[in-house]
């Protein structure tokens, strides 16, 4: 029987991957496999199952946080947009992303759409593959579904050319089953956090998420399995923290120091959207079908979570505001308040803020708001704001 990793060793491993902006994990993965390649992708969602079925490693590019000084990247972008495109360009120009054979840019916002164009200027098609992933905004399977299947077939054709491998139905079904397992582990982990958040410190949960966007899914599944089994034997005691929902971290990620600050300021985060692409699909995708492309499309249409970058409808096809979906989550999970955040200048989340705040006011749900950037290094102001928020709820509610 294979020996299971200890929790402390798992988190150490995940932190090494998180802090490695040279992507040595990816380089080693490629070197160990003849003819292997890696494909990078920007947040939020990308059908990683297809990349993995092609024998390639899907690698989430989440910026370099506070570990890289941005110089060249600033020359490509205005000062009044979010930080992640500048950070991504800086890493690329520094050669940190040379291990990638291509990049995928999901349709998140105008900034990422623009970044896909800048990328093609920096790295022409004959140097690196580049693809803009148009995700459906119409959720009718006969309209948005068929559109998305055409997009996925085009993507598969490109990857077959790039990898020199034909992607068979069995390859896709096997890959889907691996990512289904990964998402099941995350659902179990989120359930534990909702019930006993002191067992899974927010910093550990965040590092597990971040590592999952880089690591081979099979290795990450083993880490998640060992972690879930390991925490149950730890004698971690609950603190007098309030329970909160944290919303707004779906694309550009906050630095680890800020994540830890929120919990140390007296908040147990029992629902969040950190690295939401890792668990964007909330239910299993059919992994035993003759048409896995349709299964992946259906997974997005009918099984994906809500996000500021995604148009929302309910199961009846009727428009449903994201604020209603969030209030339902708040009621189901049971929280004391909401931390509504987002990267500076992030149009998708900032456009959603008024609707969320209006819903919170109507439902008498306490909340606070603040903005961050991936490279911020001072957390005192946020620590004081969050600490005051948690203290006020404990004292008067």
């Amino acid at each position: 029987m294979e020996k299971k990793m200890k929790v402390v060793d798992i988190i150490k491993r995940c932190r090494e991957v998180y802090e490695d902006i040279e992507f040595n994990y990816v380089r080693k993965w490629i070197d160990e496999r003849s003819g292997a390649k890696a494909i990078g992708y920007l947040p939020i969602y990308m059908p990683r199952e297809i990349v993995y079925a092609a024998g390639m490693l899907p690698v989430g590019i989440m910026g370099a946080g506070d570990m890289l000084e941005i110089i060249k990247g600033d020359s490509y972008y205005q000062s009044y947009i979010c930080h992640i495109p500048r950070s991504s360009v800086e890493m690329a120009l520094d050669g940190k992303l040379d291990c990638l054979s291509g990049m995928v840019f999901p349709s998140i916002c105008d900034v990422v759409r623009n970044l896909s164009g800048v990328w093609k200027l920096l790295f022409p098609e004959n140097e690196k593959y580049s693809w803009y992933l148009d995700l459906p905004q119409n959720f009718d399977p006969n309209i948005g579904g068929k559109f998305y299947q055409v997009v996925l077939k085009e993507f598969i054709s490109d990857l077959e050319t790039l990898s020199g491998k034909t992607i068979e139905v069995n390859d896709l079904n096997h890959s889907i089953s691996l990512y289904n397992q990964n998402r099941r582990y995350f659902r179990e982990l989120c359930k534990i956090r909702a019930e006993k958040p002191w067992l899974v410190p927010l910093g550990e949960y965040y590092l597990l998420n971040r590592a999952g966007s880089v690591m081979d899914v099979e290795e990450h599944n083993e880490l998640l399995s060992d972690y879930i089994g390991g925490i149950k034997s730890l004698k971690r005691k609950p603190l007098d923290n309030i329970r909160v929902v944290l919303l707004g971290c779906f694309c550009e990620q906050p630095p680890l120091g800020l994540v830890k600050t929120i919990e140390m300021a007296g908040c147990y985060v029992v629902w969040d959207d950190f690295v939401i692409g890792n668990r964007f699909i909330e239910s299993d995708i059919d992994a035993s079908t003759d048409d896995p492309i349709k299964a992946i499309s259906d997974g997005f249409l009918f099984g994906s979570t809500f996000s500021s970058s995604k148009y929302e409808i309910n199961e009846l096809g009727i428009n449903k505001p994201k604020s209603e979906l969030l209030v339902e989550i708040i009621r189901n999970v049971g929280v004391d308040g909401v931390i509504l955040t987002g990267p500076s200048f992030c149009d998708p989340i900032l456009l959603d803020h008024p609707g969320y705040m209006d819903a919170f006011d109507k439902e008498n749900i306490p909340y606070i708001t603040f903005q961050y950037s991936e490279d911020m290094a001072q957390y005192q102001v946020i620590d004081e704001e969050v600490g005051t928020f948690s203290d006020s709820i404990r004292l008067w509610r």
Side-chain angles (χ1 to χ4, degrees), residues 107 135-140 280 300-301 304-314 317-322 325 352:
S107 51
L135 295 167
Q137 297 298 322
N138 184 307
F139 286 70
D140 184 329
F280 201 76
F300 182 85
L301 295 181
S304 56
T305 187
F306 74 96
S307 164
S308 291
S309 68
K310 176 185 164 218
Y311 179 69
E312 292 307 327
I313 58 173
N314 66 9
I318 303 170
N319 294 350
K320 194 169 190 180
K322 300 181 184 74
L325 296 170
D352 278 343

Side-chain angles (χ1 to χ4, degrees), residues 181-196 200 205 224-225 227-229 231-232 279:
Q181 182 61 66
N182 193 260
R183 289 184 284 262
R184 283 196 292 269
Y185 281 136
F186 267 120
R187 289 198 294 272
E188 185 176 356
L189 199 57
C190 290
K191 185 174 184 290
I192 295 171
R193 279 199 57 76
E195 295 175 351
K196 298 179 179 180
V200 187
Y205 171 72
L224 288 174
S225 176
Y227 181 85
I228 291 170
I231 58 174
K232 294 175 181 178
R279 55 196 195 282

